Structures are given as structure tokens and as C-alpha cells.
Amino acid sequence: AIPSEAFNSLTKVTTLTLAEGIETLESEAFTGFAISSLVIPDSVTTLGHKFGSDGKISDIVVSSMKNLQSITLGASLTADVVAQSGLNKIETLTEYKVSEKSTELIAVDGVLYSKDMTRLLGYPASKADYNDEGVQTEESKTFTIPDTVITIEPYAFGSDSSHKFLKSIVFGANVKTVELQGFYQRQD
């Protein structure tokens, strides 16, 4: 297990790759940590109560992860654990990646889904695509939910101050359920 505040205030470290064998990331494990990339090993099955299992990431954890842009989720994390993690409250997140060994999760163009793509688990709050001139592409201002998606999970679209680049969301033909706070405090 990685205990609470294990990486407290490591402000100069920007990338963290955890070793295989770790099964739990405890609450506030990354308090004050300035990482821009986090790779969660395939062995991790549990995200501590403030980093996941209570359905929220605490403000302390979110505010301490202001530089996190990319997160790679390990093979042992289930769609249910991730759906309740609140990872989309991290406003600097630009992409999700998933271990190729995962039987439950998949990332397509940086967006996180259940492996069968029936559950939308997370749209990164700072996702945007740019052309060669550094201008945001029109395509990245609109997100079309795939027709395979049936459920939009809690916090899939983060908070009201998230998604500064996303201007339009088009529902796929088969969306039947938007879970509580799927569009948490979205005001645009």
C-alpha cells in the first residue's frame, strides 16, 4: 500500500511510476505532489477513500494535483472503482491511458470507457487537440458520445470550472442513464 501523504510536497518530481505489487493507493497519497504523469501499476485494485472509494476525491487531493495531465490506469482497476473515483475533478487532466492488460477499461482518444464501451467513465477536464499552428481544432470543441454508451457515470464530466475547451456535447443514440453528478455542476 502507498499510505496517506507518502509523497507529501515533492514539488520538483513531475513523473511517477509505481512498482508492480502495490495493491492500494491510500487517501491523500499524493498531497502536495506536483506530478504531471502518473502510472498506476496493474497490481493496484483499491483507491483509498479520498482517492476513490467514497465516490469523491477530496479538495485537498485535487488541489495538490494541479499539474497532473496524464494518468495511466492499471489492469486490476475495475470500472466500478474508477467510476466512483472522481478523477475528472482534476482540472489539468488531458488524457486517460489504460494498461493493455485491462479487461475492464479502455481509453479511446484519451477518453475513458468500460471495455465494452457501454459506460462513459471520464472525459478529461483539459482535453483539447491543436493543429500545427497551435490553434484548437473545431473537432475538439465538440464531443460526441459514442452510440455504444448506455450510461454516463458519476463525475464523467467533472465540475463547472472544468472543460474550458469543450463547448458542445452530443449524446449518442443509446444513452439511457446519466448517473448522479455525471455532469457535476456543469453550467455551460
Side-chain angles (χ1 to χ4, degrees):
I2 301 291
S4 295
E5 299 184 14
F7 297 101
N8 191 14
S9 300
L10 288 176
T11 58
K12 303 259 188 238
V13 177
T14 58
T15 301
L16 176 66
T17 302
L18 301 171
E20 285 298 328
I22 297 167
E23 294 179 1
T24 302
L25 297 179
E26 296 288 347
S27 64
E28 300 181 351
F30 306 102
T31 299
F33 201 24
I35 56 175
S36 61
S37 176
L38 173 64
V39 176
I40 297 175
D42 290 340
S43 56
V44 172
T45 58
T46 305
L47 300 176
H49 78 277
K50 289 188 182 173
F51 192 71
S53 63
D54 72 344
K56 301 175 185 174
I57 291 181
S58 73
D59 291 339
I60 295 169
V61 175
V62 171
S63 65
S64 68
M65 299 179 84
K66 288 182 179 177
N67 297 325
L68 188 64
Q69 296 175 359
S70 175
I71 188 165
T72 302
L73 301 171
S76 297
L77 287 172
T78 66
D80 288 336
V81 167
V82 174
Q84 296 301 313
S85 73
L87 289 173
N88 280 305
K89 287 182 152 186
I90 301 170
E91 294 182 9
T92 54
L93 199 63
T94 61
E95 68 176 342
Y96 281 102
K97 296 178 183 178
V98 176
S99 168
E100 292 178 2
K101 298 175 187 175
S102 178
T103 59
E104 290 227 11
L105 305 171
I106 189 169
V108 177
D109 295 327
V111 180
L112 186 63
Y113 302 91
S114 60
K115 190 75 164 194
D116 62 5
M117 292 195 58
T118 60
R119 298 167 67 186
L120 173 58
L121 301 168
Y123 186 93
S126 289
K127 179 176 172 42
D129 297 315
Y130 297 90
N131 63 21
D132 292 338
E133 289 81 41
V135 177
Q136 183 183 5
T137 62
E138 285 302 314
E139 294 81 22
S140 71
K141 292 179 182 179
T142 299
F143 176 63
T144 300
I145 298 170
D147 287 340
T148 57
V149 172
I150 297 169
T151 303
I152 298 171
E153 294 293 342
Y155 299 105
F157 286 90
S159 67
D160 60 349
S161 58
S162 299
H163 305 289
K164 55 188 165 203
F165 304 111
L166 186 61
K167 303 299 179 204
S168 175
I169 300 170
V170 179
F171 275 54
N174 295 308
V175 173
K176 304 277 186 266
T177 305
V178 177
E179 294 292 345
L180 181 66
Q181 298 176 336
F183 292 87
Y184 181 67
Q185 294 184 4
R186 295 270 312 162
Q187 296 177 2
D188 52 350

